[in-house]
Amino acid sequence: MTLDEFQSRYHGDMPSVSKTVAPPANLPGDGDGLVARVDLDQLIQNLNAMRQVAKGLGILAVVKADAYGHGAVQVAQALEAAHVAGFCVATLPEALELRRARISSPILVFGGVRPESLPLASTHGIDLTVVSADHLLELAKLVPQHPVGLHLKLDTGMGRSGLLISELGACLDPIRRLQPWLLGAMAHFAAADETDTRFTQVQRSRFLGALAQLRDAGISLRQVHHANSAGCLRGFTEGDTHVRCGISLYGLSELEEAQQAGLLPILELSAEVFRAVVIPAGTTVGYGCTYVAPHPVKLVTLNCGYADGYPRALANRAWAGYKGITYPVVGRVSMDSLTVVVPESVAIHPGESMVLLSRKPKDPHSVAATARLLGTIPYEVTCALHRRVARKHT
Ligand SMILES: Cc1ncc(COP(=O)(O)O)c(C=O)c1O
């Protein structure tokens, strides 16, 4: 831009913006800024570990919520190349995103897809979950014109979706009418990750009872799946054909069995330093002045805030890593930035990165440790990462 052009844009009558030159999709140096790096090789190692655990059952990879924040398209492409049996998502738009990315494996939508959306699901070969007795009746009317594969969900105790076991007897007729499109039956564990396995066993026996009832009524089921990652890691799969794994593939299951299987996290979040200054004792930092430097320290500002999915509740509690050492996050987390203090002697400069979520499970800033600080679970930490955070898959 010449000086004349600059002056006419900012001081002239009309700001002019070029309509012919599109801004670049990637910025120079993109990748050194705020970025979640996702290791697809480790993803496949986790998949192979789960294949061993599942002893040959088909793996349905759960990639809903943008693959728990890891980037659904790239994750699904890597998993499809490794021949998973199919994918599970929560919504029809999530399924269509995968089809647009040329994912051709079966895709099952967990949520209750409305009858109006059946033509779309049918055109794109998306399988649906039957989420209630009412949903079953609606589908029984429309599926013959708009064929879709169906998985009949049985509510064995999760209490949020599916046919109640008590409703099954009255639903056998419509289920029989849907037989040509019925791919299988499924249920979901409520407490498979808890040490006390009694409720999981109760759910399991309800499921096996319901399957027997369906088979006695002449209904055949090609696919049967009850287990999520925890159910699979704990072996509640006997007689099933598939398991539905999400968190284990991302290496974030906190079960001891997950460690034994060798599962490891695949995501690291790092942010860019945009200011590093020494502040004297007594300097306050951030909204509410919640941190006051006790002595001269180097204050480092990073380009990540709560709008990026780094929770404000981590203020003055969390850790950030630089060259293998962790330093405290101080002051309030702002919408677009946060601050860390390091000793004055640490030579850190704008343009460098600090790690906010580490892949090493034992680090104080691992996803699991961060979730514990927040009183939540690892799922919520990675799902929260905003689309403003670039995903880099390697
Ligand atoms: C119905 C259903 N099946 C399987 C999963 C996968 O669970 P996990 O990520 O614990 O393996 C989920 C995740 O929430 C789910 O909703």
Side-chain angles (χ1 to χ4, degrees), residues 62 64 68 110 153 160 186 188 228-230 244-248 379:
V62 181
K64 59 185 178 152
Y68 298 21
F110 287 153
K153 187 142 182 204
R160 66 178 188 193
M186 62 187 282
H188 191 40
N228 53 359
S229 297
R244 300 182 309 271
C245 295
I247 203 77
S248 51
Y379 301 68

Side-chain angles (χ1 to χ4, degrees), residues 58-213:
I59 307 266
L60 298 172
V62 181
V63 295
K64 59 185 178 152
D66 203 24
Y68 298 21
H70 293 71
V73 165
Q74 292 83 351
V75 162
Q77 283 167 340
L79 292 171
E80 182 165 74
H83 309 293
V84 285
F87 296 100
C88 303
V89 292
T91 66
L92 189 55
E94 288 183 336
L96 296 175
E97 183 193 15
L98 296 184
R99 284 285 182 256
R100 274 195 299 278
R102 308 215 175 286
I103 295 293
S104 60
S105 307
I107 303 175
L108 170 63
V109 177
F110 287 153
V113 172
R114 301 302 315 143
E116 312 82 85
S117 301
L118 266 189
L120 197 55
S122 177
T123 305
H124 296 283
I126 310 291
D127 302 332
L128 305 186
T129 305
V130 181
V131 298
S132 69
D134 289 342
H135 197 215
L136 174 74
L137 295 179
E138 287 172 342
L139 293 171
K141 275 189 250 154
L142 294 170
V143 164
Q145 293 108 66
H146 305 290
V148 286
L150 297 174
H151 291 242
L152 182 70
K153 187 142 182 204
L154 300 161
D155 188 352
T156 57
M158 179 64 184
R160 66 178 188 193
S161 166
L163 267 60
L164 297 172
I165 301 299
S166 56
E167 292 175 315
L168 190 56
C171 289
L172 291 173
D173 271 347
I175 298 174
R176 242 188 248 105
R177 273 185 272 135
L178 282 172
Q179 175 75 76
W181 301 279
L182 191 63
L183 299 178
M186 62 187 282
H188 191 40
F189 287 128
D193 51 352
E194 276 163 32
T195 335
D196 184 346
T197 59
R198 277 175 297 180
F199 190 65
T200 304
Q201 278 156 355
V202 168
Q203 282 196 270
R204 197 69 194 146
S205 66
R206 287 178 186 157
F207 188 57
L208 296 178
L211 294 180
Q213 199 177 343

